[in-house]
Amino acid sequence: MPIAERGADSGRISARFEALKVEGRGGLVTFITAGDPDCDTSLEIIKGLPAAGADIIEIGMPFTDPMADGPAIQASSLRALTNGQTLAKTLKMAKAFREGDTETPLVLMGYYNPIYSYGVDRFLNDAKECGVDGLIVVDLPPEEDEELCIPALKAGVNFIRLATPTTDDVRLPTVLANASGFVYYVSILGITGTREIEADPVAEAVARIKRHTDLPIVVGFGITSPDQAQSIASAADAAVIGSAIVRKVEDRVDDNGKAAPETAAAVLEYVGELAAGVRKSTR
Amino acid sequence: MSDATAKANSYRTGPDEGGHFGLYGGRFVAETLMPLILDVETAYEAAKADPGYQADIDYYAKHYVGRPSPLYYAKRITEHLGGAKIYFKRDELNHTGSHKINNVMGQILLARRMGKTRIIAETGAGQHGVATATACALFDMPCKVYMGSVDVERQSPNVFRMKLLGAEVEAVESGSKTLKDALNEALRDWVANVEDTFYIIGTVAGPHPYPAMVRDFQSVIGNETKQQMLEAEGRLPDQLVACIGGGSNAMGLFHPFLDDESVTITGVEAAGHGIETGEHAASLTGGRPGVLHGNRMYLIQDDDGQVVEPYSISAGLDYPGIGPEHSWLKDTGRVDYVSATDKDALEAFQLCSKLEGIIPALEPSHALGHVMKIAPDLPKDHIICMNLCGRGDKDVATVAGLLGVEL
């Protein structure tokens, strides 16, 4: 889709990557599932993320059938849904976050059906109004761009594209054609949180994708330690950590799915460790 | 009439290039799988153009599966119901006991052409899993079958059959632990093993080209029926009836007849305890369009777009979606979709066993349950052909339990 036909976005994503460039380091992108294990706890976590060192926040929109996710995020989605999380509540959480933070980019990540059910136009309108800067929808490849990607770009909401080890040089232009915000490189063949990442092939892949686009490249799926976060944030523009953070929530949930009082603090402390790793990265 | 006009008036030209049947179908998969899905499509198009591929399918259909399956006039049920003349298409007589093997043979031959060395599949009742395990034994390929742990419990004879055939059966503990979760888990396996693995999907659903490909492999049912009916009656049947979970046996019977206007076509979904109870698996009656497992289709879901676990006595119909082509055929009105309850199916199961000496699977028992409702009021020259797509050996223990019989 020609740039001229795209609506103006919030500018927060590009501003954040510009700032990272000035700092000379890679960024930290954190993922947690909205409503896991409950609305109040996850909002407390989200609100604390920027101070803990997250540069970009991804909020998972829980879905019953998260086909690209491993056990940790599957379980977190179910915890959230069991406790009554809905897409409307997730948007409300985004709004509550945005009221206290006007700079940190906020990206919603999930699967298409809840959005389709909510209504694409209504969703984009509400997402924009709630201060959402971008969308990552796992089951919408470029072949289905008419569904949500094009309407999102027109509405000024970034549609963040996934590239994977199977996305070869022939296919990359197709994947990047309507990409915006940044490109999310899925570093492993597999689902989230199940295989350990290796820095060398990632650096090669990032270099390969950079030959096709000027957009920032973030890398995720398989980062579990501050050291890995540091090396990936040196090889790419930012490192995404999801399952490892979500497991910290899981660790503090009792058998009835209730959060312990210190859940948010423990999660944020772990994010702080990851942020310290990322801050040692050099670009 | 020009060719273009003929096509415009046909129900048999779908899907379009993007895999759409009207609103339905498509390719809603993660990017990791997308290149592979495109490869499958390319390979399938090339295979279709190669007479050697069809010759292979025909060879195994005849010598291994046992095709053609008979078209059988069910005289005693016809007389018992006192109305329409009822035929059964006997796909329960296929090797492995259901229509599932028709599709599996087509896909495994394609997997071999693509140089894939490992096979995965999902299964609900276990019929597709058994068919896949069978073909993998035949072609000496490692096979992993994903099955919800709830289904592993209620279909234990089929689990053992798969293991005897050399397959690894993975009990899926995620989500609701039934067929939809088995599909999720198979897709997760595929994402992690794209290089060497072929995913044999068991029904006319999933990302393009699966719905069209599975339909093509199952169309042997309808093509044979057409010819056999002409031989038996000198004309086409007045009505086709088949049960629907994902919809593969029904699509196989229906598709060759879609443009024969004189033929009424009826699909029977599983109404479980009754649509009004909310405990059912009737996606077309109780669902609305949604996106799951790579395609848009009618889907049983809540107000928030979360998938609702379906219910049916039959593990093979216990799926919250339905193939995209069925979804489209419903909207166009070409096919009527109705439903039958657990109770209807149980009655049909017993009646067919007693009157015809055929123990049907619980899945086609739903189709027969509907036939039992409509046949008495139809004239004697109204010919119904019902797809008896599976045999009931696997269900004997379940039915015994429901009838209060201890085995």
Side-chain angles (χ1 to χ4, degrees):
Chain A
M1 182 188 192
I3 303 284
E5 289 172 28
R6 298 184 185 185
D9 79 342
S10 64
R12 278 186 284 260
I13 291 176
S14 47
R16 179 53 47 103
F17 280 105
E18 282 305 315
L20 287 169
K21 204 177 267 178
V22 172
E23 281 186 56
R25 66 171 176 95
L28 173 64
V29 182
T30 59
F31 171 96
I32 71 157
T33 302
D36 173 29
D38 59 71
C39 244
D40 291 346
T41 307
S42 73
L43 183 57
E44 191 186 344
I45 295 171
I46 292 165
K47 283 184 168 172
L49 283 170
D55 296 301
I56 294 174
I57 295 173
E58 280 179 21
I59 303 182
M61 301 173 278
F63 181 47
T64 39
D65 295 81
M67 282 163 293
D69 284 301
I73 293 176
Q74 288 173 38
S76 83
S77 305
L78 281 184
R79 283 194 299 273
L81 292 172
T82 304
N83 281 326
Q85 190 65 20
T86 61
L87 187 49
K89 287 184 184 173
T90 301
L91 289 166
K92 222 184 244 177
M93 288 175 66
K95 190 175 184 188
F97 170 83
R98 187 53 78 215
E99 279 165 0
D101 183 317
T102 54
E103 288 177 3
T104 309
L106 194 60
V107 172
L108 295 183
M109 181 164 185
Y111 296 82
Y112 184 43
N113 197 56
I115 296 171
Y116 180 63
S117 171
Y118 193 92
V120 165
D121 291 341
R122 178 179 162 223
F123 172 76
L124 289 172
N125 185 57
D126 292 359
K128 180 115 183 156
E129 204 173 284
C130 294
V132 170
D133 304 296
L135 304 172
I136 304 174
V137 184
V138 180
D139 52 354
L140 286 179
E143 281 72 9
E144 302 294 345
D145 270 358
E146 298 294 329
E147 295 284 336
L148 181 63
C149 175
I150 305 279
L153 294 180
K154 281 185 185 160
V157 176
N158 288 291
F159 196 85
I160 290 143
R161 193 65 92 190
L162 299 164
T164 74
T166 58
T167 315
D168 62 17
D169 281 322
V170 177
R171 183 163 167 82
L172 259 176
T174 305
V175 167
L176 296 170
N178 291 327
S180 68
F182 54 87
V183 176
Y184 187 139
Y185 179 65
V186 174
S187 61
I188 55 162
L189 288 178
I191 51 180
T192 51
T194 52
R195 283 185 188 177
E196 293 264 323
I197 199 164
E198 288 171 49
D200 288 351
V202 165
E204 277 170 41
V206 170
R208 180 168 71 89
I209 299 168
K210 291 244 181 217
R211 286 199 290 274
H212 294 264
T213 182
D214 295 330
L215 289 171
I217 318 285
V218 312
V219 175
F221 279 46
I223 304 172
T224 55
S225 70
D227 286 350
Q228 281 173 336
Q230 178 191 342
S231 62
I232 297 303
S234 300
D237 295 302
V240 189
I241 294 120
S243 297
I245 296 174
V246 163
R247 281 193 202 101
K248 298 292 169 191
V249 178
E250 185 171 336
D251 288 348
R252 281 159 191 81
V253 171
D254 68 19
D255 291 345
N256 300 318
K258 296 276 174 271
E262 77 283 3
T263 303
V267 171
L268 293 170
E269 188 190 324
Y270 179 64
V271 171
E273 290 165 21
L274 295 168
V278 162
R279 273 160 182 75
K280 286 185 229 155
S281 66
T282 47
R283 295 289 294 159
Chain B
M1 199 196 305
S2 76
D3 217 35
T5 322
K7 275 197 170 167
N9 291 329
S10 174
Y11 287 98
R12 304 184 64 220
T13 54
D16 69 13
E17 256 180 41
H20 302 101
F21 301 91
L23 175 66
Y24 306 97
R27 286 178 286 217
F28 296 86
V29 296
E31 172 61 22
T32 311
L33 286 181
M34 208 46 229
L36 182 54
I37 299 276
L38 294 171
D39 280 354
V40 171
E41 185 185 349
T42 308
Y44 180 54
E45 289 306 318
K48 275 199 291 189
D50 175 359
Y53 178 64
Q54 189 57 47
D56 281 350
I57 291 178
D58 293 345
Y59 173 85
Y60 288 104
K62 181 175 178 188
H63 298 284
Y64 191 70
V65 175
R67 302 210 72 92
S69 69
L71 180 73
Y72 167 71
Y73 167 43
K75 186 160 178 276
R76 292 199 66 208
I77 283 193
T78 298
E79 285 169 359
H80 175 82
L81 296 174
K85 187 171 188 182
I86 299 158
Y87 279 85
F88 291 158
K89 177 61 173 165
R90 301 282 309 272
D91 252 54
E92 101 281 10
L93 290 175
N94 294 336
H95 182 42
T96 72
S98 80
H99 68 290
K100 292 292 187 186
I101 191 87
N102 302 331
N103 165 47
V104 167
M105 293 309 294
Q107 286 197 48
I108 201 164
L109 289 167
L110 182 65
R112 286 163 60 81
R113 287 174 67 100
M114 292 177 73
K116 300 295 179 187
T117 55
R118 176 177 176 267
I119 298 292
I120 57 170
E122 86 295 337
T123 198
Q127 295 301 87
H128 176 60
V130 167
T132 305
T134 297
C136 287
L138 177 65
F139 291 109
D140 191 23
M141 292 172 87
C143 174
K144 188 163 186 176
V145 178
Y146 288 92
M147 187 170 187
S149 60
V150 169
D151 293 334
V152 167
E153 284 288 316
R154 60 178 172 177
Q155 303 284 339
S156 56
N158 271 344
V159 175
F160 186 61
R161 284 168 84 193
M162 287 185 267
K163 288 181 178 169
L164 277 176
L165 293 160
E168 185 187 344
V169 180
E170 174 93 16
V172 175
E173 297 288 350
S174 62
S176 51
K177 306 173 188 181
T178 59
L179 179 54
K180 84 173 171 71
D181 309 286
L183 250 146
N184 290 337
E185 215 53 44
L187 285 165
R188 289 176 185 128
D189 179 312
W190 207 19
V191 167
N193 298 287
V194 283
E195 305 295 343
D196 66 347
T197 298
F198 191 96
Y199 179 14
I200 299 188
I201 294 182
T203 193
V204 284
H208 179 64
Y210 280 93
M213 186 165 72
V214 177
R215 172 200 72 199
D216 293 348
F217 296 142
Q218 293 293 4
S219 289
V220 66
I221 301 172
N223 287 327
E224 285 177 7
T225 300
K226 219 171 197 181
Q227 196 186 339
Q228 290 167 323
M229 194 58 86
L230 288 171
E231 281 164 19
E233 295 281 350
R235 67 179 180 93
L236 296 180
D238 297 295
Q239 188 169 8
L240 302 173
V241 180
C243 66
I244 302 200
S248 71
N249 92 81
M251 191 53 69
L253 177 64
F254 297 171
H255 196 260
F257 290 93
L258 287 176
D259 288 340
D260 296 305
E261 282 172 27
S262 67
V263 182
T264 299
I265 305 181
T266 310
V268 185
E269 295 192 289
H273 290 138
I275 306 283
E276 70 287 353
T277 66
E279 293 180 357
H280 63 82
S283 322
L284 291 172
T285 316
R288 65 177 196 278
V291 174
L292 181 71
H293 295 152
N295 58 164
R296 178 158 30 222
M297 56 186 168
Y298 274 83
L299 183 65
I300 303 176
Q301 53 187 316
D302 69 12
D303 291 344
D304 194 42
Q306 305 296 339
V307 180
V308 172
E309 183 55 19
Y311 164 78
S312 165
I313 187 178
S314 150
L317 302 181
D318 204 350
Y319 183 66
I322 181 165
E325 195 164 10
H326 282 296
S327 300
W328 174 73
L329 287 167
K330 175 196 161 75
D331 286 5
T332 61
R334 174 62 185 98
V335 177
D336 289 325
Y337 292 92
V338 299
S339 63
T341 63
D342 286 3
K343 195 166 156 283
D344 299 333
L346 262 177
E347 265 175 46
F349 182 93
Q350 296 172 81
L351 188 79
C352 189
S353 302
K354 277 188 188 138
L355 291 185
E356 296 292 349
I358 299 171
I359 302 178
L362 281 170
E363 290 81 17
S365 295
H366 285 75
L368 185 57
H370 182 69
V371 168
M372 285 164 63
K373 271 186 252 176
I374 59 170
D377 298 328
L378 291 164
K380 289 192 183 340
D381 63 352
H382 182 94
I383 299 173
I384 295 178
C385 177
M386 190 202 95
N387 197 9
L388 216 175
C389 63
R391 60 174 173 247
D393 311 38
K394 69 182 175 62
D395 296 314
V396 167
T398 307
V399 172
L402 288 164
L403 299 177
V405 178
E406 249 183 73
L407 293 182

